[in-house]
Amino acid sequence: MATVLRPENAGQVRDAVAWAVSEETPFEVIGGGSKRAIGRPGNASHTLDLSALRGITLYEPEELVLSAGPGTPMAEVNAALAERNQELAFEPPDYGPLLGLEEGAGTLGGVIAANLAGPRRIKYGAARDHFLGFTAVSGRGEDFKSGGRVVKNVTGYDLCKVMAGSWGTLGAMTQVTVKVLPAASKLRSVLVFGCDGAQATAAMTLALNSPYDVSAAAWLPDEIAAHSGTGYVRDAGGSVTAIRIEGPGPSVEYRCDALRKLLGGFGQTEELHGHNSAAFWREVRDVRYFASGGDPRVVWKISVPPQSGAALAGGLCDTLEGEAFLDWGGGLVWLATPAGDGGHETVRAAVAQCGGHATVIRAPAELRATIPVFQPMDPGLARLSRRLKESFDPRRVLNPGRIQAGD
């Protein structure tokens, strides 16, 4: 009979994992459960629910550091930071609506375990680049910790880099510490209308290589732009290339004006201010264009060299009759393909030609059980991954098979 265990402290987490080891029975490890549908379907007999390990335990705005339980909702973290005009600079996305769930179900531990980041990744990096330290219980049922409250205090192996993106397969975190940064006082976006994918990539590259400190760059083709909740984008009547500028007010105004002049040769330009700009980038961050209720399509997250993104997206859309848009200056392709096998062989072949990796973010469980969800590893990396798993979880009691079959 399946059991759900909800430990309320680190000691109970250790006892739960020790029991799983002794019984040789695996756990599905979850926080808020908002990302359960990402990855291969679990084959665990029981669930280790860490949602009770919640709450901010330390927040020092002057030191730009925050510690909290892994089950702490992102809404709580964001609200606390907003009160002090701070934020998580890597802009963690909320995939809940994309996966058919309510908005705001994600947790801090889940963001770290999945190593997620939004449009600002091109400037500030991913979650692992802001992950300072943690305490956890390994698959051996043993407590361990790594890192500290500031980067300079980190000694020994930097296990934060290993835990971020491990999807709960190496340890059950009981506390996490992250770096926070001041939020920008002003936000605007320069829009360029009518570019095709190649022109948009050229415009984004020019903006990113300019001295104007761009924090995000994305391109929506006309069929996707038409579904935006932002009027200037929805009513453009064509494609939209968006460049985000953040910072002090006078600086933002100057840089936006300079960018409009710089990019004027690509098409008509416009600006999005404050609220509208923030709303637009939330749409991009959370992939809301593919989140309409009942949408059966398979959704892919494809990371490639930025100069390859537009051509890859166009080719896959033509071949698979899909839809795609670009983020990260062309380096991230969000692709929706018709239901069925999701065109996985075609996607993998296209990615192999240009280099990069592709992850299935949304697909039915039966499809995720039969195709690689994450990018298949080359033999050397696969051996290293198995050795790492063997070190942390030799009995395979933590999320076995979540990333790849047999682990």
Side-chain angles (χ1 to χ4, degrees):
M1 181 178 177
T3 302
V4 177
L5 299 183
R6 294 185 177 88
E8 297 181 355
N9 55 56
Q12 292 179 2
V13 175
R14 183 180 62 250
D15 292 342
V17 177
W19 171 81
V21 171
S22 66
E23 296 293 323
E24 297 188 356
T25 183
F27 274 131
E28 177 191 20
V29 183
I30 66 169
S34 65
K35 302 171 190 65
R36 295 177 93 168
I38 303 177
R40 299 184 69 256
N43 56 3
S45 305
H46 307 288
T47 299
L48 183 61
D49 182 345
L50 302 179
S51 60
L53 277 68
R54 60 184 295 169
I56 296 171
T57 56
L58 177 144
Y59 178 31
E60 297 181 355
E62 298 79 10
E63 299 297 329
L64 303 177
V65 62
L66 179 145
S67 297
T72 306
M74 284 303 305
E76 182 178 334
V77 173
N78 291 334
L81 294 177
E83 288 183 1
R84 302 303 295 266
N85 197 34
Q86 294 183 338
E87 65 185 0
L88 293 172
F90 59 94
E91 203 170 2
D94 180 357
Y95 294 155
L98 181 67
L99 300 173
L101 303 174
E102 293 293 327
E103 183 178 359
T107 62
L108 181 60
V111 165
I112 296 298
N115 192 36
L116 297 180
R120 210 181 280 119
R121 189 189 194 285
I122 59 175
K123 182 176 181 179
Y124 287 109
R128 63 164 49 97
D129 300 300
H130 301 256
F131 187 22
L132 296 178
F134 68 90
T135 59
V137 176
S138 73
R140 298 174 180 270
E142 300 171 343
D143 294 318
F144 70 106
K145 64 180 180 179
S146 181
R149 288 170 51 186
V150 292
V151 174
K152 66 182 180 181
N153 286 347
V154 175
T155 59
Y157 293 110
D158 188 1
L159 295 182
C160 290
K161 297 296 190 292
V162 174
M163 291 294 287
S166 65
W167 292 87
T169 62
L170 301 179
M173 292 185 291
T174 56
Q175 186 84 352
V176 297
T177 300
V178 293
K179 176 175 63 177
V180 302
L181 289 176
S185 59
K186 183 75 73 173
L187 163 64
R188 289 190 182 180
S189 299
V190 172
L191 307 181
V192 184
F193 301 122
C195 294
D196 62 22
Q199 294 168 334
T201 300
M204 291 188 290
T205 300
L206 183 60
L208 288 166
N209 288 330
S210 75
Y212 303 126
D213 197 21
V214 170
S215 68
W219 173 72
L220 307 184
D222 52 1
E223 64 272 15
I224 291 180
H227 291 94
S228 174
T230 303
Y232 276 118
V233 177
R234 182 182 61 248
D235 301 332
S239 69
V240 175
T241 306
I243 311 294
R244 183 170 62 186
I245 298 294
E246 299 175 288
S251 172
V252 168
E253 292 176 10
Y254 168 78
R255 286 182 285 147
C256 280
D257 182 63
L259 271 175
R260 293 186 70 173
K261 293 176 182 176
L262 181 68
L263 302 177
F266 290 94
Q268 180 185 351
T269 65
E270 187 53 83
E271 280 186 25
L272 286 180
H273 291 198
H275 173 77
N276 285 333
S277 191
F280 170 77
W281 288 105
R282 281 195 299 270
E283 292 177 353
V284 174
R285 182 196 72 183
D286 298 343
V287 202
R288 289 299 182 94
Y289 312 113
F290 300 154
S292 59
D295 188 343
R297 294 179 298 177
V298 174
V299 175
W300 292 85
K301 182 181 182 181
I302 307 172
S303 180
V304 293
Q307 298 305 312
S308 301
L312 179 137
L316 289 175
C317 286
D318 290 343
T319 302
L320 300 173
E321 298 183 352
E323 286 187 320
F325 69 94
L326 305 180
D327 195 3
W328 298 355
L332 176 61
V333 179
W334 281 103
L335 172 70
T337 59
D341 69 358
H344 70 99
E345 292 183 352
T346 302
V347 171
R348 298 289 182 202
V351 171
Q353 289 182 355
C354 63
H357 53 85
T359 302
V360 178
I361 297 296
R362 186 181 72 196
E366 55 269 22
L367 179 60
R368 291 185 284 114
T370 57
I371 68 170
V373 173
F374 298 94
Q375 183 69 22
M377 301 179 188
D378 63 54
L381 187 58
R383 286 194 296 271
L384 180 61
S385 177
R386 285 194 294 270
R387 289 173 59 187
L388 191 64
K389 179 71 172 175
E390 186 70 27
S391 297
F392 284 87
D393 184 18
R395 300 284 183 167
R396 303 298 195 267
V397 298
L398 300 177
N399 280 347
R402 177 73 179 270
I403 296 177
Q404 58 184 356
D407 269 357

